[in-house]
Amino acid sequence: MTTTKIRPVADQLSLPLTVLAAGLFAAGLLSGWFQYLDRSPALARQVAGTSAWWQQLAVAVVAGAAFSYARWRHRRGPGGEGDRLWLLAPLGQRAARRAARTVRQAVRGQSGLARALVALAPAGLICYCVWRAGEQVAGGLDPNFTVNAWGGPSYLGAMACHYLDCCVLIAASAWLLDRLLLADPANASRAPSRAERA
């Protein structure tokens, strides 16, 4: 049962993008480990209000509402019961084809170098979030790393808040990239995107 649900999603992933994400996560993990090894023996004092739990709760509520609305719209649309990558969409084969097409046409001067350059910002933010998620795993073992972090002072609280923030930033960046990148060449029957009409 689990295999049948996971398999269609795994089949949609792009191997190069997945390897890139795994490499970024591993680099973040290594960076966090070195920070942990170089930790200070002196414990920092917790500053009141730095845990920002109320702000994080608001982010969680808004993110949950946005995700529920997106799922509802997807289920109402044609083919709404199909498997969708959702947060993994930036690692999908469709995303890889669209990014490659955008870069190729920008290099050839056919489709606007400006669009490709603007797309670097959300793509870079996704890369940073994946790296930061890895860093949090090992770096968060240092009490000074989490004592004044959002969700701190506990390791699990800081992890939950940082991962929530990363998921929200990745989703927002993916939404922006969806509007910036050229259409998937494998889906020629689709109407031109807003980026193509610009």
Side-chain angles (χ1 to χ4, degrees), residues 177-198:
L177 281 172
D178 186 49
R179 273 126 191 92
L180 288 169
L181 298 179
L182 294 175
D184 184 359
N187 192 7
S189 62
R190 192 180 67 80
S193 68
R194 190 178 310 167
E196 290 173 293
R197 292 193 299 266

Side-chain angles (χ1 to χ4, degrees), residues 40-47 142-148 153:
S40 170
L43 294 179
R45 288 180 54 195
Q46 185 181 13
V47 178
D142 176 9
N144 286 335
F145 195 93
T146 60
V147 66
N148 288 312

Side-chain angles (χ1 to χ4, degrees), residues 21-68:
L24 287 168
F25 187 86
L29 191 63
L30 193 61
S31 171
W33 180 248
F34 282 129
Q35 288 181 54
Y36 173 71
L37 292 178
D38 195 38
R39 66 192 181 279
S40 170
L43 294 179
R45 288 180 54 195
Q46 185 181 13
V47 178
T50 53
S51 57
W53 274 107
W54 288 110
Q55 294 91 322
Q56 287 297 106
L57 180 61
V59 170
V61 168
V62 171
F67 180 77
S68 299

Side-chain angles (χ1 to χ4, degrees), residues 96-153:
R97 289 190 300 266
R98 292 183 67 192
R101 182 182 180 201
T102 302
V103 170
R104 271 195 313 270
Q105 294 200 8
V107 168
R108 293 175 186 159
Q110 295 176 346
S111 182
L113 181 60
R115 183 186 303 126
L117 291 175
V118 170
L120 286 177
L125 184 56
I126 290 173
C127 290
Y128 170 76
C129 286
V130 173
W131 176 85
R132 185 69 173 87
E135 183 188 42
Q136 181 71 28
V137 173
L141 296 172
D142 176 9
N144 286 335
F145 195 93
T146 60
V147 66
N148 288 312
W150 285 20

